[in-house]
Every structure is written in C-alpha cells, then in structure tokens.
Amino acid sequence: MNGEPRAIAAERLLAAPAVLLDFNGTLSLDEDLLEDCYARALEALDLAPLSPGEYAELLGRSEEDIAAVLLTSRGAPLTAATLLDEVAAAYVAACRERPRVPAEHLAVVRALHAQGIPLAIVTGTLRRMIEPVLEELQLTREISALVTIEDVDRGKPDPEGFRRGLGQLGLNTDRSEPGQVVVLEDSPSGVAAGHALGAYVIGCGGTAVGADVEIRAMSELVGVLPGACDPEDDRATQITATPRAPASAPPPRDP
C-alpha cells in the first residue's frame, strides 16, 4: 500500500462495506457559516453576542448541545428549539445562496456510490438543516441513509448515530471485522465515536485528533479514488478498482 495518506484513505474506502460521513466540516465546509448563523440568531433574539473562541470550543457537539450551552451561559429563559429555529433558517438560506459542499466532495461521494459502496451521513446537526442541502445538490440517491441528532438519544462521542446509520444501510457491526467500516470525520468527538464503533477513521481538516489517517479535506481524494476526477480537468485516476454489484435497496429509514 502506498504510504501517502490520501492513497491509504482511498484504498480503505474502496475496501469498506460501508462509509459513514460526518456533514458539517467534513462533507460541507461550513463551520465558519455555522458560527455566523449562531451569531445572527443570538442577535435576532436580543442575546449577548458570541465571545472570541466561544463557538470554537463547542465544535463537534450537537446543535442541541451547542444551543443549550449558549443559552445557559447567557441566563436566557428560552428553549434550545427557539434559538435553533433562527439558526436553521439562516443556515438554509445561506447554503442556497452559496453552497458549501465543494464540487470535489460531490465527485468523491458519486465515485464511492459508483463503486457500489453504501453511504450514510451521521451528524449532530438538525434534519431540517441538512435535507434541503442534500436535495438541492441532488445527493439523495447516492446517500441513502441520514441520521441526525433527532434520531439518537446520545450524540457523538457516543457511537449510537453511527450504529443507526449502519442499520439504515442494512448492515451490522457484529458481521464485520474491526476497522472495515470507514468513517470520515473532522472532530475529536467524531473520531472517538468512530473508534467506539470499531471503524477505521479518516480525519479531515487537521482537527480530527486521533484519526487513523488524516487528509486535509475530502478533495484530496480526487485523482486517487477511481471515478473521482477534478470537475474542471476530468483527469484519470491512479488506482483502479472493479465496481461492486449494485447493493440491494436499503430498508426504510427509522421514523
């Protein structure tokens, strides 16, 4: 195996029975946008603005946890849902104006799907923030399973969300060897959740402390993952692989 991190990551992905993707900061490069959306939401509700570094300390936590911490620190007699309504509206509008999922990331997702590898998004954010983005990008065919914070009792670093994602794909961790399922994550809590699942974790963004291998971003897989070509130059890939037989349709999502 080539010792270069992106080559290692590509080969692990190609061998995986399933790939579980984080959304914010991994598939979508939007952490700066989320911070701005929280800032706007606090202003709209006449609450104290974010202090320097306040949002950065909360990265990797679920939106519900972030909202609760921000409201508690301000002594605000509001529910997390009230703050998150403002955040979600600002986020969806901003993503429609300027999509935050790079074309190279879309190419990686579509290349994995073309190889017959089941894909799920497992995120600590809200369904109403993600579904409009996936529909706008026409990714609902490639990514057949979506687990959001509303679907779990315990967010990352607990692996509950990842287990639910595998369940939606019709897979069971008991049937695979440790390290076979691959998780892509950008936060320490996501890395911990992936390892608790028994998955191989590819870190993205330089913030995924403890990942098994790290790449700067999913875009680094362009040119090494079969079918993931640069949208602008359509260059040939460096690793060859035979597409798998199409997977059977996944079971219905959990309500």
Side-chain angles (χ1 to χ4, degrees):
M1 179 184 291
N2 187 326
E4 186 184 6
R6 64 180 193 150
I8 294 171
E11 292 191 25
R12 282 285 187 164
L13 287 165
L14 290 171
V19 173
L20 305 174
L21 296 146
D22 176 51
F23 188 75
N24 305 114
T26 302
L27 181 60
S28 178
L29 302 184
D30 58 6
E31 292 293 7
D32 62 321
L33 171 58
L34 279 170
E35 182 172 5
D36 183 62
C37 289
Y38 274 101
R40 292 189 209 176
L42 291 171
E43 182 180 8
L45 296 171
D46 293 321
L47 298 175
L50 290 171
S51 60
E54 184 176 14
Y55 180 78
E57 292 178 358
L58 300 172
L59 286 177
R61 299 177 67 168
S62 73
E63 304 303 343
E64 291 179 349
D65 283 350
I66 292 173
V69 170
L70 293 178
L71 291 173
T72 298
S73 66
R74 286 158 176 76
L78 299 172
T79 65
T82 300
L83 178 59
L84 289 174
D85 282 344
E86 296 285 344
V87 173
Y91 180 83
V92 172
C95 286
R96 283 187 178 138
E97 181 177 338
R98 180 191 162 199
R100 292 305 186 100
V101 179
E104 294 86 354
H105 292 197
L106 296 177
V108 169
V109 167
R110 289 176 173 136
L112 291 172
H113 175 75
Q115 292 292 331
I117 300 169
L119 302 168
I121 286 176
V122 180
T123 176
T125 197
L126 305 170
R127 186 172 292 272
R128 65 182 182 272
M129 292 172 66
I130 290 184
E131 285 188 330
V133 174
L134 297 180
E135 290 167 4
E136 189 81 14
L137 296 171
Q138 300 180 347
L139 279 180
T140 53
R141 181 174 68 92
E142 289 86 352
I143 299 174
S144 57
L146 171 62
V147 178
T148 63
I149 194 60
E150 296 98 329
D151 301 320
V152 299
D153 295 321
R154 300 170 300 280
K156 302 169 187 175
D158 193 281
E160 180 187 357
F162 287 139
R163 288 200 178 99
R164 283 187 175 271
L166 288 178
Q168 289 185 14
L169 294 173
L171 300 172
N172 189 322
T173 52
D174 294 336
R175 298 176 189 167
S176 62
E177 294 295 323
Q180 283 192 328
V181 170
V182 173
V183 163
L184 282 91
E185 269 285 355
D186 74 311
S187 71
S189 61
V191 171
H195 284 155
L197 180 76
Y200 184 88
V201 181
I202 298 172
C204 302
T207 53
V209 178
D212 296 298
V213 68
E214 288 195 62
I215 56 178
R216 286 194 300 271
M218 286 177 62
S219 57
E220 281 204 318
L221 297 169
V222 168
V224 292
L225 191 70
C229 299
D230 190 313
E232 295 187 357
D233 66 19
D234 195 35
R235 61 191 167 189
T237 57
Q238 298 170 1
I239 298 175
T240 59
T242 302
R244 305 178 188 183
S248 57
R253 295 178 182 171
D254 295 339

